[in-house]
Structure formats: structure tokens, C-alpha cells
Amino acid sequence: MLAFAAPIWEWRAAHFPQAAQDLMVRSTLRFFGLLLLATAFAALMIDATRSIASKSLIVMDLEQTAAALAPVKLALLKEVVQARAHPYLYDPVLVDLLRLPTFLGLAALGLLFFRLAREPRPTIGYSSR
């Protein structure tokens, strides 16, 4: 841990109980989940607008979106995965993930964030000993 950050973490642990810290993490995850779902809806509307304008189904996949936003990083990601990871990680896994429609990938990630932000189930009926 960084030396200058240690007093901040000690102050936070002293002034915020664990329940408050959990609530902050869950709220942050919910915020980013909602942001991703809103972005997924916007991507769906963009695809719908393009499809209506061209009178055919046009769906932008994650690879096209990533290439439009950060082409250098996408190429770097492909090179790193091919060079350093297991060979099956690139071809069946990464290629298929990049073929997903953008709205579907963003919605799945947003729903995953919402799932992570859920409160844990109460442990009623279990012994605490």
C-alpha cells in the first residue's frame, strides 16, 4: 500500500463501519450498472435507427465499436492475448465475445454489476457457532 494513502484508509476504517463501506461499494456498483444499461439502450437505439434508415437489419458488434473508440488498444489487446494467453482463449472465446452486438454486451455487463451489488442473503436458520 502506498505510504501516503495509509492514513486515509485508517481514517476511513475508524469513521465508517463495515456496513457503511459495503453500502458505498454497492451504490457505486449500482451506479455503474445503471450507466452501462443506459449506454446499452443508447446503442440499441442507434442500431434501430440505422436499421430503419437502411431498411435492413444493421447491428454493430463489439469489435466495430471498440475499433471506432480505441483502434490501437483493440489491436494491442489482440496481440497480447495471442502472444501471452492460452491459444484457445483468443480464437473461440475472444473472437466470439467481440462478435456480440454492442447493446447486448453492455447490457450483460450492466446486469452483472447489478448482480454484484445485491445485498447478501440473510443467514437465517444457520448456526453461527
Side-chain angles (χ1 to χ4, degrees), residues 8-63:
I8 296 171
W9 292 111
E10 291 171 4
W11 178 86
R12 183 177 172 207
H15 289 84
F16 289 108
Q18 186 64 35
Q21 291 179 12
D22 291 344
L23 181 64
M24 286 189 290
V25 170
R26 282 197 307 268
S27 298
T28 305
L29 284 173
R30 284 186 196 133
F31 172 74
F32 284 117
L34 187 62
L35 190 67
L36 284 169
L37 286 176
T39 308
F41 183 72
L44 178 65
M45 290 299 107
I46 290 170
D47 286 345
T49 304
R50 287 182 182 170
S51 296
I52 291 171
S54 69
K55 296 182 182 175
S56 64
L57 182 64
I58 296 176
V59 179
M60 197 164 185
D61 58 7
L62 282 172
E63 186 173 13

